[in-house]
Amino acid sequence: MSIFSKLFHFSAVSVFPSRCPYCDKVIDDSDYACKICPRNFPGFCYSRYTAGGFLCAAPFPYSGVYAKAVKALKFHNRGDYARPLAAQLVRAVSEIHGDVRFDYVTCVPMHRKDKRNRGYNQAELLARECAALMRLTYLDTLEKFKRNQPQHKTGGRDREKNVYGVYRLIDEDIIKDKNVLIIDDIITTGNTLGECARILSNGKCAEIRCAVVCSADRNKFIAPGQGSDSACRKGPAQAQKQ
Ligand SMILES: [Zn+2]
């Protein structure tokens, strides 16, 4: 690191100190949370299935301080939360997907116009941080080539139709026979991650798994035969058996 880089890093840390994503207290640059918040973390990681039956891991439910942290990352420019949230995501991945050696970490992509409007894709920030923490390669595998309604503004069964056919593979040759981990911020119905997993599956990936920061429990939106939410809120052992 050059003297200028060191000075820049020092001033950046002084002006923008690291903060706990769950309570926003200032924390050490090397920490992922304050000393208090982790005491209230759920005792086990969540697992459930996306549309199509792809297993998804999450460290947190979509509620309370966890939902607030994800919303801050997504809507309020708190890109600095990506690294500490990714650390918990990686914990869930090792607990739920410990049986897989991943080749690539990827993310649910945004349409380029939406990404330009927001300035970043929060799922990509999380995926890049996860890849760094897991010492794996981050790879853009999918492109969102059609714009659709945001999923949270779409109701019920329409969520499935809303994401169908909006993603495509960037390069089929790179992902063939590879184990891929898809990262997103939240899983609600599981239709978005399920559609991304379906496209990767069409590209002959060997193994596809998913992971998110927060898992919402929205059983009523899962259509029969599209994976089950029943694994949600159970430990990984029970989830794997289903
Ligand atoms: Zn805290």
Side-chain angles (χ1 to χ4, degrees), residues 20 23 34 37:
C20 173
C23 68
C34 69
C37 290

Side-chain angles (χ1 to χ4, degrees), residues 132-228:
L133 289 165
M134 296 166 81
R135 300 203 171 138
L136 294 172
T137 303
Y138 170 83
L139 184 71
D140 286 321
T141 58
L142 297 162
E143 177 195 6
K144 187 173 184 180
F145 68 105
K146 285 186 190 167
R147 267 177 127 181
N148 57 357
Q149 280 285 318
Q151 281 294 78
H152 64 268
K153 291 185 180 169
T154 311
R157 297 277 171 90
D158 289 343
R159 285 184 161 224
E160 184 194 345
K161 284 191 209 143
N162 190 43
V163 292
Y164 188 80
V166 302
Y167 302 105
R168 66 185 169 202
L169 287 172
I170 291 174
D171 186 342
E172 190 167 334
D173 293 339
I174 293 181
I175 52 133
K176 191 167 178 266
D177 299 326
K178 301 294 185 190
N179 297 335
V180 177
L181 176 65
I182 316 174
I183 303 287
D184 204 357
D185 49 355
I186 307 158
I187 182 169
T188 47
T189 60
N191 282 314
T192 301
L193 272 165
E195 177 64 4
C196 288
R198 184 183 73 84
I199 302 292
L200 286 173
S201 183
N202 287 347
K204 309 277 190 302
C205 271
E207 184 76 39
I208 302 157
R209 299 286 180 95
C210 308
V212 295
V213 179
C214 289
S215 175
D217 197 3
R218 302 283 289 273
N219 292 334
K220 60 184 177 182
F221 290 145
I222 298 284
Q226 289 199 319
S228 166

Side-chain angles (χ1 to χ4, degrees), residues 101-120:
R101 286 185 62 146
F102 292 105
D103 296 294
Y104 297 120
V105 181
T106 194
C107 72
V108 171
M110 286 172 83
H111 191 276
R112 59 186 167 75
K113 286 183 182 165
D114 296 325
K115 186 175 170 182
R116 198 167 55 216
N117 288 343
R118 184 171 291 167
Y120 59 96

Side-chain angles (χ1 to χ4, degrees), residues 20-25 27 33-38:
C20 173
Y22 317 101
C23 68
D24 213 39
K25 280 190 196 122
I27 55 173
C34 69
K35 302 282 186 264
I36 309 294
C37 290

